[in-house]
């Protein structure tokens, strides 16, 4: 479901090369934070970069995208029988395709797919109910998918180094399971995340603490307020990311 509303108070267009530079700098930042959290403060790291100890227990939430089709079907049948609604987590494109194929063959379940709010969307979730109940896609999407904008002061970020998948790792460090996260786009000096409503407060409260020393603000956008056009992030944890979370 794409939204065509014009932006309100944000830039209408951004250059791809700026987004890529922003992505590299965020990856650099994550490496600095990972190193400092693993070996504590070391001479040579920028003094204004301090890493919060919060989030070390977030390894308990770590999991790869996987889908249990039988469980989702059972959830849909239960919602249908109770004239209720049930929803899945955010799923990657492959798992979403499997779920859609399964649900399309079930006459007693009505469903919609939501969360494809950014260009070239890869992560979506499903809402299921009784066939005699209506599902307004925009209304439900606004209810179950929240867009967060993270503004970052690039002048505070280190300018050299390499890194890995910064945003999946950072979210896991504050205890936000990736199943509660949709697509993430990096655009110039801002990052846009689609998240489940239940983790909004957690992101707004803990991301600034996790990125101590970096000037960031986290705000919640109105539904359809702005559609970013930047670099879509890979929301999978690599081996290095998992090791950093395990031992960080």
């Amino acid at each position: 479901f794409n939204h065509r509303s014009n932006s309100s108070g944000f830039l209408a267009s951004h250059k791809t090369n700026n987004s890529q530079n922003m992505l590299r700098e965020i990856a650099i930042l994550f490496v600095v934070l990972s190193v400092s959290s693993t070996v504590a403060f070391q001479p040579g790291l920028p003094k204004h970069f301090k890493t919060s100890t919060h989030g070390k227990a977030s390894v308990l939430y770590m999991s790869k995208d996987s889908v249990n089709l039988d469980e989702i079907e059972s959830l849909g049948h239960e919602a249908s029988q109770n004239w209720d609604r049930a929803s899945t987590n955010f799923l990657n494109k492959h798992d979403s395709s499997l779920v859609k194929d399964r649900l399309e063959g079930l006459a007693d379940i009505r469903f919609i797919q939501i969360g494809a709010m950014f260009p070239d969307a890869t992560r979506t979730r499903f809402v299921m109910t009784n066939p005699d109940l209506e599902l307004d896609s925009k209304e439900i999407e606004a209810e179950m998918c929240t867009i967060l904008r993270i503004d970052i002061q690039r002048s505070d970020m280190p300018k050299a180094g390499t890194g890995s998948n910064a945003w999946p790792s950072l979210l896991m460090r504050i205890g936000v399971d990736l199943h509660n996260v949709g697509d993430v786009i990096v655009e110039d000096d801002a990052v846009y995340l689609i998240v489940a409503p239940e983790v909004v407060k957690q992101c707004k409260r803990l991301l600034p603490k996790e990125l101590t020393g970096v000037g960031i603000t986290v705000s919640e956008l109105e539904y359809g307020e702005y559609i970013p056009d930047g670099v879509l992030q890979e929301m999978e944890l690599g081996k290095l990311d998992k090791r950093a979370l395990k031992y960080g």
Side-chain angles (χ1 to χ4, degrees):
F1 302 95
N2 294 322
H3 309 300
R4 299 179 175 83
S5 300
N6 293 326
S7 61
S8 172
F10 298 116
L11 295 177
S13 62
H14 304 273
K15 295 182 180 180
T16 302
N17 60 335
N18 288 337
S19 297
Q20 292 173 338
N21 290 335
M22 179 63 175
L23 172 59
R24 285 194 292 269
E25 290 177 346
I26 291 171
I28 293 166
L29 169 63
F30 178 69
V31 169
V32 173
L33 293 173
S34 296
V35 171
S36 60
S37 64
T38 303
V39 300
F41 179 80
Q42 294 182 0
L45 289 179
K47 291 184 178 180
H48 61 286
F49 280 87
K50 300 177 182 178
T51 307
S52 167
T53 57
H54 176 86
K56 291 184 179 179
S58 65
V59 293
L60 298 176
Y61 294 89
M62 187 167 59
S63 58
K64 292 185 63 177
D65 275 331
S66 60
V67 61
N68 186 326
L69 296 177
D70 292 336
E71 182 178 332
I72 291 175
E73 179 178 339
S74 177
L75 194 66
H77 287 309
E78 182 178 354
S80 179
Q81 292 170 5
N82 295 333
W83 294 74
D84 198 358
R85 287 188 332 199
S87 61
T88 68
N89 296 318
F90 284 98
L91 304 170
N92 62 30
K93 186 174 290 187
H94 175 263
D95 288 347
S96 293
S97 177
L98 296 176
V99 171
K100 185 176 181 179
D101 287 345
R102 173 70 72 95
L103 294 179
E104 283 180 337
L106 304 174
D108 65 327
I109 298 176
R110 177 191 294 271
F111 74 93
I112 57 173
Q113 188 174 3
I114 61 174
M117 303 160 73
F118 294 165
D120 302 317
T122 62
R123 296 179 65 80
T124 56
R125 61 191 310 194
F126 293 82
V127 179
M128 303 166 287
T129 190
N130 187 282
D132 292 329
L133 293 178
E134 292 296 326
L135 290 175
D136 186 296
S137 59
K138 291 185 177 181
E139 179 180 320
I140 293 176
E141 191 169 61
E143 177 186 341
M144 296 188 172
C145 300
T146 301
I147 296 181
L148 296 180
R149 172 183 167 113
I150 303 175
D151 292 288
I152 303 177
Q153 296 179 11
R154 295 172 66 184
S155 59
D156 288 341
M157 303 179 75
K159 302 299 181 183
T162 58
S164 53
N165 297 350
W167 285 102
S169 302
L170 285 171
L171 290 166
M172 295 294 290
R173 287 184 66 84
I174 65 170
V176 175
D177 195 288
L178 298 186
H179 289 163
N180 287 318
V181 182
D183 285 320
V184 177
I185 282 185
V186 173
E187 181 185 78
D188 292 346
D189 294 343
V191 179
Y192 297 85
L193 301 84
I194 299 175
V195 299
E198 53 266 30
V199 301
V200 168
K201 290 183 179 180
Q202 191 173 354
C203 290
K204 293 172 73 173
R205 181 171 60 90
L206 296 181
L207 275 174
K209 294 182 179 180
E210 182 67 24
L211 299 178
T212 304
V214 181
I216 77 169
T217 57
V218 184
S219 56
E220 185 176 343
L221 300 188
E222 295 292 331
Y223 179 75
E225 177 180 343
Y226 179 69
I227 304 300
D229 184 19
V231 180
L232 191 67
Q233 303 301 285
E234 173 63 47
M235 295 303 292
E236 300 278 355
L237 288 172
K239 292 182 179 179
L240 291 177
D241 302 302
K242 293 177 182 179
R243 290 184 63 185
L245 285 168
K246 182 176 180 181
Y247 298 108

